[in-house]
Amino acid sequence: MDINEPNQHHAEFNYSTKQNLIPAYEQSAILAQIADKAERKLKLRWILAISCLPLFGIYAAFGIAPQTMTSTIATATVVEEIALPDVANTQASIAEQHFWYKDHVRRDDTLNNLLSRLNVHNRDAINFIRSDAVASEITSALKPSHNMEAQTDGDGNLISLEYQLDTDQFINVTQTPSGYSASKVTHKLESRPILKSAKIKSSLFGATDDANIPDSVAIQVAEMFESQIDFNTDLRRGDHFNVIYEGSYDEGELVKTGDVLAAEFVNNGKTYQAVGYRDATGEMQYYTPDGKSLHKSFLRSPLEFTRVSSSFSTGRFHPILQRIKAHQGVDLAAPTGTRVKASGDAIVDFVGQKGGYGNVIVLKHENGVSTVYGHLSRFADGLHRGEKVAQGDVIGFVGMTGLATGPHLHYEFMVNGEHRDPMTVALPKADPITGQNKVAFDAISRELTAQIDLLGNSNIAALE
């Protein structure tokens, strides 16, 4: 034995010695465990090696990134003078700027309230508006929804002001070197047709409200077709209409609506059309597209919208007299104060109180026709016997004077002294349009009916 290699021989001896001391079956188990541990260590080393690959890649990427600065970055301090703004000049500049304000008169507004909202605060301007002969009209003419515009400087000093007296009438207040001046001016309005459509869900006014159509236009539509459609009983859900009416614009803003130019109404599947034409007096008259007049000598009902609460009858049980009595007219239920219109051109034959009629008006028309309007709450101001009234003029207001159990209008229609049912009597029509007026009407009718047709087709396309 070499004295320089003691560890190797001792190791071999120890192993062989242990090997000789351990039974054979246990030696196999130990060898299996050693092999299993070695395999697990090998797997763990591979996992660690694979996990480190991305880190090596990142390290390599940083290592080879181009233009990488490795030296120390130099820094320097920069000092710069900044001039502060001139406060006095800035305030002066703001004061020289002009500002526009626009508002409308609200309910219970005062001049001071309105001017305050428009940033007008200088006392000399307010005093001028109150004292000047022209400008002072503003104070007495403050009406809800009327507009006022003001131009002021940054300190609230008035430069100019404009107040709307009427649709096209304005009062201007302007600052001058010697103070303020005021004048009235008239704006030239631009007239353009407005095309709208509406569908009936519950009522005519409900449909026009949904379509943002003014009530004045709705009333005209009802009057145009009242000889063909009973708007109290004939309307059906799903009925619809197209209408063209006048619109007046001031600098692009709608300020007024006027007459209906043309309309089409589809009621229960049947289509009615009307075209407007102004006669020699400037009054708008309505015709079918081929020139037949829609105007009747008498209105079917002297109330715009109502319902028949008691029909014409030769024998009716009177609710107050408690006996059978002929009812020689119709009772039209309506709230107290509802306007009553003359059903045709006439002369006032009687106005006053008469028995069970209470406050009553009797009108005498041509061709032996008379109409009676009873139970009125009051008469139109100034109405007197012998006065001429035109069809549609307001002559009184619904009430319940005389023998009446509730507010309504009692309406009678007589021909040569004989009572007829106002709801069924034949109403004569006015003459059709003829001559040179017919030539001019035909040109207008073609244009308007084409627009109505286009509007109707557009609505059908939209629905589809």
Side-chain angles (χ1 to χ4, degrees):
M1 178 183 299
D2 189 346
I3 196 167
N4 294 324
E5 298 176 346
N7 293 334
Q8 178 180 358
H9 290 283
H10 279 293
E12 290 176 357
F13 172 80
N14 291 340
Y15 175 75
S16 60
T17 303
K18 290 181 179 180
Q19 193 176 26
N20 292 331
L21 296 175
I22 298 173
Y25 69 90
E26 290 187 8
Q27 291 179 18
S28 300
I30 292 171
L31 290 174
Q33 291 178 3
I34 293 171
D36 184 55
K37 289 181 180 179
E39 185 180 356
R40 285 204 300 267
K41 287 181 180 179
L42 181 61
K43 290 182 178 179
L44 180 60
R45 287 171 183 164
W46 276 108
I47 292 172
L48 290 174
I50 293 171
S51 301
C52 290
L53 285 177
L55 297 176
F56 292 144
I58 295 172
Y59 177 81
F62 278 110
I64 63 174
Q67 300 178 356
T68 303
M69 297 180 64
T70 57
S71 61
T72 304
I73 299 174
T75 60
T77 302
V78 178
V79 179
E80 183 179 352
E81 292 187 3
I82 301 176
L84 295 176
D86 188 338
V87 177
N89 290 336
T90 302
Q91 291 177 343
S93 176
I94 293 174
E96 290 172 1
Q97 293 181 12
H98 294 173
F99 303 91
W100 282 99
Y101 300 88
K102 183 175 182 178
D103 206 337
H104 63 273
V105 180
R106 303 171 187 173
R107 189 176 299 277
D108 300 326
D109 243 344
T110 64
L111 180 63
N112 283 343
N113 291 343
L114 185 56
L115 292 178
S116 178
R117 294 201 302 273
L118 296 173
N119 194 40
V120 178
H121 299 296
N122 56 319
R123 179 53 55 184
D124 53 340
I126 297 173
N127 290 339
F128 174 83
I129 294 172
R130 291 187 179 281
S131 60
D132 181 78
V134 176
S136 60
E137 278 193 49
I138 296 175
T139 305
S140 58
L142 288 179
K143 296 179 181 178
S145 78
H146 279 210
N147 295 322
M148 181 183 284
E149 292 185 13
Q151 183 187 18
T152 70
D153 62 19
D155 293 330
N157 297 310
L158 180 65
I159 297 170
S160 66
L161 179 144
E162 184 177 71
Y163 176 70
Q164 177 191 17
L165 281 177
D166 206 343
T167 303
D168 58 348
Q169 296 290 321
F170 294 80
I171 291 179
N172 279 354
V173 177
T174 307
Q175 186 183 46
T176 68
S178 59
Y180 289 97
S181 64
S183 62
K184 288 184 180 180
V185 296
T186 300
H187 286 195
K188 185 177 180 180
L189 303 181
E190 180 187 1
S191 181
R192 298 202 304 263
I194 300 174
L195 286 71
K196 288 287 186 73
S197 299
K199 187 174 182 179
I200 305 296
K201 295 179 180 177
S202 58
S203 67
L204 177 63
F205 280 108
T208 53
D209 286 346
D210 290 342
N212 197 27
I213 297 173
D215 287 349
S216 60
V217 173
I219 291 171
Q220 290 181 66
V221 169
E223 291 175 345
M224 289 164 59
F225 295 111
E226 66 183 349
S227 63
Q228 300 163 303
I229 303 171
D230 187 337
F231 284 87
N232 300 310
T233 60
D234 291 347
L235 289 187
R236 299 289 184 271
R237 184 179 179 86
D239 288 355
H240 59 275
F241 66 91
N242 305 311
V243 61
I244 304 173
Y245 56 95
E246 296 172 323
S248 296
Y249 292 81
D250 182 23
E251 297 179 351
E253 182 178 355
L254 179 65
V255 294
K256 182 177 69 173
T257 58
D259 291 327
V260 171
L261 301 175
E264 176 185 76
F265 205 107
V266 179
N267 170 237
N268 200 21
K270 188 173 182 179
T271 301
Y272 303 91
Q273 289 185 329
V275 175
Y277 181 76
R278 283 192 172 87
D279 59 20
T281 64
E283 290 293 321
M284 185 69 83
Q285 305 293 338
Y286 295 98
Y287 303 84
T288 62
D290 58 357
K292 295 178 181 178
S293 178
L294 293 175
H295 177 78
K296 291 194 173 185
S297 299
F298 290 88
L299 301 178
R300 180 64 69 183
S301 170
L303 299 181
E304 291 167 355
F305 298 97
T306 184
R307 64 179 178 84
V308 177
S309 58
S310 184
S311 303
F312 183 90
S313 174
T314 56
R316 181 195 69 157
F317 184 77
H318 198 285
I320 295 179
L321 299 178
Q322 296 293 300
R323 60 184 176 85
I324 300 297
K325 187 177 185 298
H327 191 235
Q328 297 178 321
V330 293
D331 290 344
L332 304 173
T336 297
T338 302
R339 301 185 309 170
V340 177
K341 300 181 295 184
S343 59
D345 299 343
I347 295 176
V348 178
D349 191 45
F350 179 85
V351 54
Q353 291 186 334
K354 182 182 291 187
Y357 288 105
N359 292 331
V360 63
I361 297 171
V362 179
L363 300 183
K364 183 176 289 186
H365 309 268
E366 293 181 349
N367 302 319
V369 176
S370 296
T371 52
V372 179
Y373 312 79
H375 305 315
L376 302 174
S377 59
R378 61 187 179 91
F379 309 112
D381 293 340
L383 191 73
H384 58 273
R385 189 173 187 272
E387 180 181 353
K388 289 184 178 182
V389 294
Q391 184 184 85
D393 285 351
V394 176
I395 56 176
F397 301 87
V398 169
M400 52 181 296
T401 56
L403 297 178
T405 57
H408 69 277
L409 173 70
H410 176 78
Y411 177 55
E412 296 181 5
F413 192 99
M414 292 179 288
V415 180
N416 297 323
E418 182 180 345
H419 285 88
R420 305 285 181 86
D421 186 349
M423 298 293 104
T424 59
V425 65
L427 301 176
K429 292 184 178 181
D431 296 331
I433 194 166
T434 57
Q436 290 299 317
N437 287 334
K438 182 66 164 61
V439 176
F441 170 81
D442 286 343
I444 294 173
S445 178
R446 283 192 296 270
E447 179 181 353
L448 291 174
T449 52
Q451 294 181 35
I452 285 289
D453 291 342
L454 181 62
L455 187 59
N457 292 336
S458 299
N459 291 333
I460 292 172
L463 291 173
E464 292 177 348

